[in-house]
Amino acid sequence: MTGAQVDPLGSGDPATLGRYELLGRLASGGMGRIYLARDADGQLVAVKTLLAEGVVSDVERRRFTREVGLAQRVDSTFTARVREAAPRAEKPWMAIDYIAAPSLSELVRTAGVLPASAVQWLAAGTAEALVTLHGEGIIHRDLKPQNILLPLPGPRVIDFGISHANDLTRTSLTLGTIAFTSPEQARGEPSTEASDVYSLGATLFHLALGRPPYRADSDTLGLLAQVQRGQLDLDGLPKELTNLIRPCLAADPAERPVPAEMLARFRQSLAGLPVSQGGRRWLPPRWTDLIGAYERHGRDLARGAGIGVGDTGPVGVAGDQPTGVVPPPGPTLVLPEEREQAERAERERAEQADRAERAERERAEQAGRAARERAQQEQALRARERRREEERKKQQKKERKRAQQEAERQRRERVENEERERAEKEAARLRAAEARARQRASRTPAASASAGLSPRTDRPAPRPAPPRAPAPTRSGRGSAFVTWLVVLSVVALVVWLVS
């Protein structure tokens, strides 16, 4: 095998897309084609187009635009980097780094299984790719050996775009996909990050034993039933890989580790060993030989050679010899019934994508409404708390005012009582003085008669001591006036009696 299959361009293929010169076809399917292309600097890229032939519908353009957006958010050494994209062009396209490397499925099929240490090394690189994807909110949903390429620097996870934006259905599952699908996906349930972890565990098991973690005596439906039940067959799994792979294959998604834990565990296992991230330190020679053949083929492609070379066998063939270009294939006859079925299936996939997109929007709107309702409830609660605090302060102010008024009333009552007591004492003193004056008056006429003196001319009448004016008080003019009136009345009475 000299490298990836690159077929020549057909008559309907464009010669360029953007600034990239198309060299040949890498893959073709119902949703579009992937071309091998080269920029002005001689760098190879894989250009993915949406429907190389035909009119692009609005639904398909939206899906492709979403795929481009997802891919551009990912920036990791262990994924293929998006260089440029034109989702709104007449023929939408996206240029991705071309990785001249075999897939894990081809390596296992051609070069055999891996030792435990190499499996751990590949687990670390793939887990790091998942850490990046999950950090951007992207779930791969179809992680399997076919979607992991392996150049010598480390694994590269590919194909995490729009083709897997919706959960896989039972009708779209193939035997190669079912073997690496999580139980919840096989049951038609939504995929989560834990689903990717399960697929990673099944992929690692395949690298170590060359088979899926299920019994091999089942057809497609039988295998699907095993996956749905989580009915595993882990016989032959090396002990040093049990703690790595078995937790990933837990039937309950909550019991599976997260990729960051797997990555930390691998790094911890490297403590004290020579630091080397390259594949030559971990991979057996038969694997590195095949990877080297792909690298040489990639260099040939960059020079323009090797177009049309197919996968002729498991043995690496020198790719430095120039080869001719395979003539374009003849037209393929398609029966009307098959074309109608393909178109109907494509419409159904587009409708499913639209339904999934609408459901996603509805979930986002529901989440937004729920967030707004929570914010409104919190705002109303804060407003009620503020009103209660204001009412409490008003009540405290009223209580303080009532207390002040009550203290003032008690003070006035105390002053009035004191004034009343003083007035009563003064009146009692005046009454006592009046009584004494009457007594003297009753004795004075008899003494005067015995002496032959007139009581009116003998001596002048004694003047009574002027009454003391009461001290002014705050009880008001009314009470002072009454007091003075009483005092003057008593004085007038005493003067009249004496005179």
Side-chain angles (χ1 to χ4, degrees), residues 102-148:
S103 66
L104 294 183
S105 59
E106 182 179 347
L107 283 163
V108 171
R109 183 179 65 252
T110 305
V113 297
L114 285 178
S117 58
V119 173
Q120 292 173 340
W121 173 72
L122 280 170
T126 310
E128 188 164 346
L130 291 182
V131 168
T132 303
L133 291 177
H134 295 171
E136 294 293 338
I138 301 173
I139 301 173
H140 193 292
R141 291 180 171 86
D142 193 20
L143 190 67
K144 55 188 178 182
Q146 294 92 322
N147 287 335
I148 302 176

Side-chain angles (χ1 to χ4, degrees), residues 109 248 283 346:
R109 183 179 65 252
C248 298
L283 300 175
E346 182 61 31

Side-chain angles (χ1 to χ4, degrees), residues 163-293:
S163 59
H164 309 292
N166 301 311
D167 290 327
L168 300 171
T169 61
R170 297 182 184 181
T171 56
S172 66
L173 289 174
T174 63
L175 185 62
T177 299
I178 294 175
F180 305 97
T181 300
S182 65
E184 59 269 19
Q185 287 177 290
R187 293 192 296 265
E189 300 171 3
S191 298
T192 64
E193 296 176 358
S195 304
D196 287 347
V197 173
Y198 189 97
S199 299
L200 176 57
T203 297
L204 298 177
F205 186 93
H206 178 76
L207 298 179
L209 277 77
R211 66 175 181 86
Y214 306 99
R215 291 197 315 270
D217 56 350
S218 298
D219 55 11
T220 302
L221 293 179
L223 180 59
L224 178 61
Q226 291 184 60
V227 176
Q228 291 173 338
R229 295 192 300 265
Q231 186 177 344
L232 300 171
D233 179 12
L234 304 183
D235 290 344
L237 181 64
K239 293 182 179 180
E240 54 267 43
L241 293 178
T242 301
N243 293 334
L244 172 66
I245 296 177
R246 185 63 186 89
C248 298
L249 299 176
D252 185 359
E255 296 180 359
R256 301 169 196 162
V258 297
E261 294 175 353
M262 302 174 63
L263 183 59
R265 190 179 307 166
F266 171 74
R267 288 174 176 171
Q268 185 178 5
S269 67
L270 294 181
L273 296 178
V275 178
S276 175
Q277 298 296 330
R280 293 193 183 279
R281 183 196 182 298
W282 305 96
L283 300 175
R286 58 185 183 277
W287 278 53
T288 57
D289 291 345
L290 184 55
I291 295 173

Side-chain angles (χ1 to χ4, degrees), residues 379-439:
Q379 185 177 4
L381 179 61
R382 287 193 296 269
R384 287 196 297 270
E385 291 292 336
R386 286 195 300 268
R387 287 195 296 269
R388 282 198 291 266
E389 183 65 19
E390 292 174 357
E391 290 295 333
R392 185 181 64 81
K393 291 181 179 179
K394 290 180 180 178
Q395 186 65 24
Q396 290 178 350
K397 186 176 180 180
K398 290 179 180 179
E399 291 177 356
R400 285 195 299 269
K401 186 176 181 180
R402 283 197 297 268
Q404 292 174 355
Q405 292 174 348
E406 180 64 20
E408 180 65 20
R409 185 187 64 79
Q410 293 176 359
R411 188 191 63 79
R412 287 197 302 268
E413 289 181 355
R414 186 170 60 254
V415 171
E416 291 175 357
N417 291 335
E418 292 175 355
E419 292 293 333
R420 188 164 48 252
E421 290 176 358
R422 283 196 295 270
E424 290 175 355
K425 288 179 181 180
E426 185 66 22
R429 188 183 64 79
L430 292 176
R431 283 193 298 272
E434 180 185 357
R436 288 193 299 272
R438 280 198 298 271
Q439 290 176 0

